[in-house]
Amino acid sequence: MKVAVYSTKPYDEHFLAQANQDGHPHELVFLEPRLNAATAALANGFDAVCVFVNDQVDAPVLAQLAEGGTRAVALRCAGFNNVDLKAAERLGIDVVRVPAYSPYAVAEHTVALILTLNRQIHRAYHRIRDGNFALDGLLGFDLRGRTVGIVGTGQIGMEVVRIMRGFGCQVLCNDPRQNPEVPALGGRYVSLDELFRQADIVTLHCPLTPETHHLIDAGAVARMKTGVMLINTSRGAIVDTAAIIEGLKSGQIGYLGLDVYEEEGDLFFEDLSNIVLKDDVFARLLTFPNVVITGHQGFFTRNALENIARTTLGNLTELEARRPCANRVTASG
């Protein structure tokens, strides 16, 4: 297949090109711009486009792609909330994704955020570099015996269950589809309300759907423990950022760790260090000393990138051979 790879960074090109050397290579053309209505024409004459989390694959863009001859969209990520699946089906465009690349990568990054916030690693690092060895303000707590609420027990959520049980934490879970491994590991499924009431740490690992959009709003924050630690490494729009800021200001939220952000499309994956940020909400988040934000890097390990590249190209090979692809996504589920 001739494939236009959008939102290309050097690491994308490296791992995709490396994986493409095996078997029957595709013709990959790497494009730095994101896919949107203004850049869709770059894919004219291409059999497929390969896109990432912040590419825009809505109905108008898909119509442009179809007109240019594109018949497949290959997501090099698990989420597909940025794709209009109904429009894709109507236009005869196949959509494939990478459902699992490394649940360990995101789970371990989640725990890194928990440990960083708890033990104030981010603040201690800067203090030591400034010659300040005082410990005031760096007080943490033992994780052992604390209650961790895990929303979403797919592959990533389950890895977080295993890790936090290893720390000796009590684990409460919530998911419409209950995994029998949770009770076997010592965890327990409860209602979302009970999870919010009891958890010292709430960590989100659910997909972004109409049902989970702004799942963490002002009402949810009010039902949590005072001083709760909230972690989001799933999708930014699961959290109502304005409500979170109010929670931080009131002290209801004692710690916040984010690897995703509702309006990250204008920020993440780019070097903006030489310009003034225009997002006032994001700028407000950066003023809190008890907030740690990373730029959607939870997936960013060598193992994960290798898996993403192999699965993405394997999906395209299956589509090209007209074989059933297990990683195809449709509007009907």
Side-chain angles (χ1 to χ4, degrees), residues 196-207:
F196 289 157
R197 286 197 307 270
Q198 295 194 29
D200 302 295
I201 300 168
V202 174
T203 178
L204 307 174
H205 302 285
C206 49

Side-chain angles (χ1 to χ4, degrees), residues 5 21 24 27 31 54 77 117 151 154 164 168 173-174 203 205 209 225 240 243 265 269 273 299 303 330:
V5 184
Q21 295 174 1
H24 304 284
E27 182 182 345
L31 305 172
N54 291 324
C77 55
L117 285 162
V151 181
M164 300 317 296
C173 299
N174 180 270
T203 178
H205 302 285
T209 65
K225 280 187 174 183
D240 180 346
F269 307 115
S273 56
F299 77 100
N303 312 74
T330 63

Side-chain angles (χ1 to χ4, degrees), residues 50 52 54 57 70 77 90 111 142 163 167 172 175 189 222 252 288 318:
C50 179
F52 198 46
N54 291 324
V57 201
T70 297
C77 55
R90 186 174 65 250
V111 179
D142 289 355
I163 295 171
F167 274 105
L172 303 179
D175 195 308
Y189 278 103
Q252 181 69 9
F288 293 98
E318 290 187 340

Side-chain angles (χ1 to χ4, degrees), residues 103 130 149 216 312 315:
D130 290 338
I216 307 301
T312 299
N315 289 341

Side-chain angles (χ1 to χ4, degrees), residues 317-332:
T317 297
E318 290 187 340
L319 292 180
E320 185 178 37
R322 299 187 180 280
R323 295 196 298 265
C325 182
N327 297 326
R328 186 168 178 259
V329 289
T330 63
S332 55

